[in-house]
Amino acid sequence: MKTKNYILKEIESSDIKNIHKGLSDPEITKYYDVHYPTLEETKEQMKWYKSLKDEGTGIWWGIFGIEDNVFRGACGFNGLDKKHRKAEIGLWLLKEYWGNGILKEMMPKLFEIGFSDLGLNRIEGYVVTENLKCKSALEKINFKYEGTMRECEIIDGKPISVDIYAILKTDLN
Ligand SMILES: CC(C)(COP(=O)(O)OP(=O)(O)OC[C@H]1O[C@@H](n2cnc3c(N)ncnc32)[C@H](O)[C@@H]1OP(=O)(O)O)[C@@H](O)C(=O)NCCC(=O)NCCS
């Protein structure tokens, strides 16, 4: 699966160093409920990617440059609900690749995979309310803001509010 500049490769255990590089960076995990300082701890995340596949509840890919085959970040679907044809979408990039339009290039491909290959009707994005960059990105690519779950999580003792964004297959018509 390719876009103009990138190729998606399903995440495997051999990607652990790439995943660690991303999810050990506090600026990347700032609005996430996961953070893996060590390679050993990153094994937890690799188990999660495998469980998605084994349980049929999602799939995540590494994003690599078509020309240089260098890892840029990861994206995918989880919480796949086949009965209600919906799933949660996610994407993160290594800091050195922020601001280059990668999210904008990847999302249409993820919509195509989600609405066609996975047969979804609805794709959801759960975004911590303070993550303004992500929210402005989602609004620019047709995601609709549907509401805020106020203080629905406690992270490091602090109440966190989460916004719900969603895009429907019909929104792309
Ligand atoms: C959020 C993230 C994926 C953005 O990816 P990106 O490839 O840098 O985004 P793009 O270059 O495609 O920009 C898309 C839009 O995002 C927003 N955006 C990107 N960088 C921004 C910045 N530094 N400040 C404010 N808005 C920004 C803008 O709306 C931008 O649209 P524009 O270029 O028309 O202004 C990246 O910063 C990241 O990995 N963050 C950490 C993980 C995370 O928060 N993931 C949630 C994903 S929504």
Side-chain angles (χ1 to χ4, degrees), residues 25-132:
D25 181 336
E27 285 190 66
I28 293 173
T29 60
K30 184 175 180 188
Y31 298 112
Y32 283 170
D33 56 2
V34 295
H35 183 73
Y36 304 104
T38 65
L39 212 51
E40 185 58 31
E41 288 162 300
T42 310
K43 287 181 179 165
E44 202 53 45
Q45 186 72 8
M46 305 316 286
K47 272 193 226 145
W48 181 73
Y49 293 129
K50 188 173 178 308
S51 73
L52 293 177
K53 187 144 189 236
D54 296 348
E55 293 153 22
T57 54
I59 180 167
W60 271 65
W61 299 272
I63 303 166
F64 295 81
I66 281 186
E67 301 299 328
D68 59 17
N69 196 31
V70 171
F71 179 81
R72 301 293 200 275
C75 62
F77 296 102
N78 43 275
L80 175 58
D81 180 332
K82 293 188 178 115
K83 179 165 179 270
H84 302 300
R85 296 174 46 212
K86 61 180 180 177
E88 179 183 353
I89 196 168
L91 184 148
W92 56 264
L93 302 167
L94 298 179
K95 231 173 13 221
E96 57 263 43
Y97 300 114
W98 289 2
N100 298 327
I102 297 178
L103 177 142
K104 273 188 286 191
E105 182 169 331
M106 298 314 302
M107 282 292 185
K109 174 54 77 174
L110 290 174
F111 295 161
E112 182 194 317
I113 297 166
F115 292 132
S116 309
D117 307 357
L118 298 178
L120 300 178
N121 171 57
R122 174 183 164 89
I123 293 173
E124 299 173 334
Y126 293 90
V127 189
V128 168
T129 303
E130 285 88 16
N131 191 350
L132 303 180

